[in-house]
Amino acid sequence: MGKAKITAIGCYTPPRVLTNDDLAKMVDTNDKWIVERTGIKERHIADADVATSDLAVEAAKAALLMRGIPASDVDAIIVCTVTPDMMFPATACLVQHRIGAVGAWGFDLIAACSGFVYGLTTAAHLVAGNTHKKVLVIGADTMSRIINYKDRGTCILFGDGAGAFLVEQCDDDENGFIDFLNEIDGSGGEFLKMPAGGSRMPASLETVQQEMHYVHQDGGQVFKFAVRKMHEICSTILDRNGYTADDIKLLIPHQANRRIIWATAEKLGIPLDRVVINIDKYGNTTAATIPLATRDAVESGRLKKGDLVLYAAVGAGFTVGANLWRWSF
Ligand code: UT7
């Protein structure tokens, strides 16, 4: 088996910002409640003519620019998203065409907030199997398209954004991919979903009138599951690789709620100065939170070559995922 490393990151968030005060004019909420209960201050929202592939293309181009290679060098593109431009063709196909990745195949990966961790796991294996040299993993979501801005339980949480990692073969034994721990617990499927628009409940006048094309969430159930599972997967993956929380340079968790992140850090015994939290600026961008948080950590000098980084996410499904990497640049 070969080894995989991350060689470049690119991110994109649309320029328009929706603040808590803006939301307070739309639903019965306020900045104090949102900050205390979630940690979110603002989120970015795509303009009406911007779709997920547009965000993904910008992120992909930024990653390729950072690496200094043409798109034609990419062997595969994985777009992790729950808000594809349309059901088909896959957003990966739209991105492949737009960036000119003429040698790439690819697919969309639906795992909601765990999407990027699943995408990274998949890319690491494609590369480690020596069948692929360069795989682009993109987490991109335009959550504003499936949010009901009359539902204060969900509209305060989500934002739009995209991030891409380039995963490549690694000849350096020290750094790169170490391990993954991904799970599904489908018994939680009812608690977070967009009910209509698929083969179970195709789009109709009724599904629109009954607001079935929006995110429906039982926040309390998701919260409880996330707090339990985030800790469980992090401690298991550390344990089985002979590491303790002290060995981790940075925990980069999915950004769903600051209280979930705080609880995970506390249970693991990782001080908050070794946890990346940027939910205040972006909200929950679903598949994009982990690359956005990584980009912020790299840019602020918190993540350097050789550092042990732990990724963890829980999302709709329920999906659960953790990855351990030793940072490569
Ligand atoms: O990545 C996976 C995606 N989703 C998640 O991870 C979400 C996980 N869940 C959560 O983050 C939290 O459950 C929420 C932020 C969604 C809700 O926070 P909570 O602390 O669980 O609040 P709650 O639903 O228990 O509601 C507490 C109170 C209620 O009022 P009463 O019944 O006590 O009078 C709500 O009606 O807060 C009220 N409330 C609000 N008040 C002001 C709910 N939403 C709001 C709001 N503004 N936006």
Side-chain angles (χ1 to χ4, degrees):
M1 287 280 274
K3 224 180 147 190
K5 64 176 176 181
I6 296 157
T7 58
I9 307 187
C11 287
Y12 180 77
T13 45
R16 187 153 60 95
V17 168
L18 184 70
T19 65
N20 291 347
D21 288 338
D22 295 333
L23 283 164
K25 292 177 196 139
M26 298 155 69
V27 289
D28 180 15
T29 191
N30 58 75
D31 178 61
K32 185 168 178 289
W33 191 95
I34 301 173
V35 172
E36 276 177 14
R37 306 309 292 165
T38 71
I40 301 166
K41 293 188 176 126
E42 57 187 38
R43 63 290 289 140
H44 290 246
I45 302 291
D47 285 342
D49 60 344
V50 173
T52 295
S53 68
D54 301 315
L55 308 182
V57 162
E58 293 305 321
K61 282 182 178 167
L64 294 172
L65 186 69
M66 176 176 174
R67 183 69 176 93
I69 58 165
S72 53
D73 281 4
V74 173
D75 299 311
I77 301 170
I78 304 171
V79 177
C80 315
T81 187
V82 290
T83 50
D85 286 28
M86 55 197 112
M87 289 296 282
F88 66 89
T91 307
C93 303
L94 308 176
V95 173
Q96 179 272 343
H97 179 60
R98 292 261 303 279
I99 65 174
V102 288
W105 70 290
F107 55 92
D108 287 4
L109 192 163
I110 304 177
C113 298
S114 310
F116 198 80
V117 174
Y118 284 16
L120 268 187
T121 307
T122 308
H125 285 81
L126 291 177
V127 163
N130 280 328
T131 53
H132 295 68
K133 287 193 163 57
K134 291 179 171 57
V135 178
L136 205 46
V137 185
I138 307 170
D141 271 301
T142 316
M143 295 305 290
S144 60
R145 296 301 134 77
I146 58 167
I147 291 298
N148 181 355
Y149 285 94
K150 286 183 280 177
D151 173 12
R152 68 176 180 172
T154 51
C155 74
I156 57 151
L157 294 173
F158 294 95
D160 302 336
F165 281 10
L166 189 66
V167 178
E168 295 190 56
Q169 287 190 342
C170 176
D171 39 21
D172 156 10
D173 272 350
E174 300 291 308
N175 297 315
F177 179 70
I178 299 169
D179 196 11
F180 75 99
L181 200 179
N182 297 344
E183 297 175 358
I184 281 178
D185 179 353
S187 69
E190 282 302 304
F191 300 128
L192 183 49
K193 63 181 178 184
M194 187 177 84
S199 56
R200 178 69 62 193
M201 202 188 285
S204 67
L205 187 57
E206 287 73 32
T207 61
V208 172
Q209 285 167 342
Q210 291 161 11
E211 305 188 329
M212 290 296 168
H213 296 272
Y214 292 131
V215 170
H216 288 235
Q217 171 172 263
D218 181 333
Q221 292 287 345
V222 180
F223 191 94
K224 270 187 283 181
F225 183 82
V227 168
R228 178 164 64 81
K229 270 295 170 181
M230 290 282 279
H231 167 249
E232 189 184 302
I233 52 167
C234 288
S235 59
T236 304
I237 198 170
L238 287 178
D239 227 32
R240 76 183 188 192
N241 286 281
Y243 293 120
T244 70
D246 291 344
D247 298 311
I248 296 298
K249 176 67 193 300
L250 279 184
L251 167 66
I252 306 189
H254 168 56
Q255 313 280 311
N257 185 317
R258 188 174 58 183
R259 289 185 295 135
I260 296 174
I261 300 174
W262 281 347
T264 304
E266 190 185 342
K267 284 174 166 211
L268 280 172
I270 298 188
L272 289 175
D273 63 357
R274 289 195 279 122
V275 181
V276 181
I277 303 180
N278 67 355
I279 194 170
D280 52 322
K281 291 189 288 179
Y282 302 112
N284 182 352
T285 53
T286 303
T289 63
I290 282 185
L292 284 169
T294 307
R295 189 269 316 263
D296 283 6
V298 170
E299 281 187 358
S300 61
R302 292 177 76 189
L303 187 56
K304 297 206 173 69
K305 188 170 180 174
D307 288 344
L308 193 60
V309 54
L310 173 58
Y311 288 116
V314 167
F318 290 128
T319 54
V320 180
N323 264 211
L324 258 183
W325 291 73
R326 211 169 263 289
W327 198 248
S328 325
F329 64 86

